[in-house]
Amino acid sequence: MREDLLRGLAAKKPAWPDGARCVISVTVHMDGPALEVGRKQVPLGIHSRGRYSIKRGIPRHLDILARHGVPATFFMCGYDAEIAPDLMRQVHAAGHEIGAHGYVHEGWDLGDAEPELLERTHKILSDCVGEAPVGWCSPSGRKSALTLPTLRRLGYIYDASEKDDDTPYLATVGGAVSEEMIVLPNNTVSLDDVPAYREGQALAAEVLENWIQELHAIHAGAGYLHLTYHPRSGFGSGIPARAAVVDAFLAEAKRLPGVRFLTLKDLARHCLAQPQEWRR
C-alpha cells in the first residue's frame, strides 16, 4: 500500500517517546501447561502443546529477540511460573518484562474468587523473579467490576486486555477515570497469531503478509502497534516456520524510520507521565 493512501485512516498520532513515529510493543503470551490444567486436561499427548513453550518455544523466541535487540513483555500464568521458575528467571534476566496472565489461564467467570486468584498469581510472579508485575492481560478477555480495583490495589499501572481503540487511554477504575492506570489495547483480530492459525488455518507466509500490512498502515497512522504471539505448538508461533515469521516481522519493522520498541511497562510509564493526553 502507498503511504499517502494510509494517512488519516487511524487516530491522530500521539506524542511518542523521543519523537518516535511508531512504537511497537511485542507481547509473548507463554500459555504453557497452565492452559490445559485450567481446562482440567492432563498436559500429555494431544494436550502437551503448552509444554512446547517451556522446552522449545520460549528459548527459540529469546534467541530471536536477542538477535534483534528487542525488549518484550512476557505474560505468564502463575501455574507456569511454579513449574518452570528457572525459565521465568531466564526471561527476566534477559531484560524482558514479566506481566500477569491469570493462574491457570482462567477461561470462565471467576465471581468472588477473582481477587484471590489475582493476588495469588501476583505473589508467585513477584517471588519468582524478585520484581512485582505492574501489567496484566486477561487470559480469556473476561473482566468484572472487581478486576481493575484489585489490580490497582496491588500496584498495577496498565491493563492490556481491551480491543477497542487504536491508541492507549486512561482506565476507568471503580467507576472513575484513573490517572494512575492506562489501558494498552491489543488487536486480537489481525495482530495475534491465535485467530490466524486456529480459526483462519492460515499459512505462516500469510500471517507474515498480514502483519506487515498492519505494520505499514499503523506506521503511517497513529503509530501504536501491539503484537501478540504465543510460543506454543498448535495454535501458536513456537515451531520453526512460525517463529521465522516473528523474526522476519521484526526485521521489517526495524527497517522503517522512526520505530521504537518498548515493553508495555515502559509505554505505560510514558503515558502516565502526561495522563491528560490519554483521556477519552
Side-chain angles (χ1 to χ4, degrees), residues 45 70 190 195 197:
V70 170
S190 59
Y197 290 131

Side-chain angles (χ1 to χ4, degrees), residues 65-82:
L65 293 166
R67 186 166 3 97
H68 288 286
V70 170
T73 297
F74 281 71
F75 283 110
M76 305 291 199
C77 293
Y79 178 88
D80 290 332
E82 288 179 324

Side-chain angles (χ1 to χ4, degrees), residues 90-167:
Q90 182 183 352
V91 170
H92 186 257
H96 302 296
E97 176 193 1
I98 303 293
H101 198 43
Y103 178 64
V104 285
H105 203 276
E106 293 82 7
W108 60 92
D109 292 327
L110 302 176
D112 293 338
E114 184 176 15
E116 188 276 330
L117 281 168
L118 293 173
E119 292 166 2
R120 184 193 308 179
T121 297
H122 182 76
K123 185 176 188 308
I124 291 168
L125 296 179
S126 301
D127 291 346
C128 182
V129 300
E131 181 180 359
V134 296
W136 176 83
C137 185
S138 170
S140 64
R142 290 171 173 80
K143 293 168 67 176
S144 77
L146 300 174
T147 310
L148 294 192
T150 301
L151 292 172
R152 186 68 208 113
R153 173 171 56 79
L154 293 171
Y156 286 69
I157 63 172
Y158 75 82
D159 166 30
S161 308
E162 300 296 342
K163 298 98 174 63
D164 57 357
D165 210 324
D166 289 331
T167 56

Side-chain angles (χ1 to χ4, degrees), residues 30-32 49-59 231-232:
M30 178 178 173
D31 288 11
R49 296 183 178 97
R51 292 167 56 202
Y52 193 92
S53 289
I54 295 172
K55 297 172 69 175
R56 296 295 182 187
I58 285 185
R232 297 168 52 97

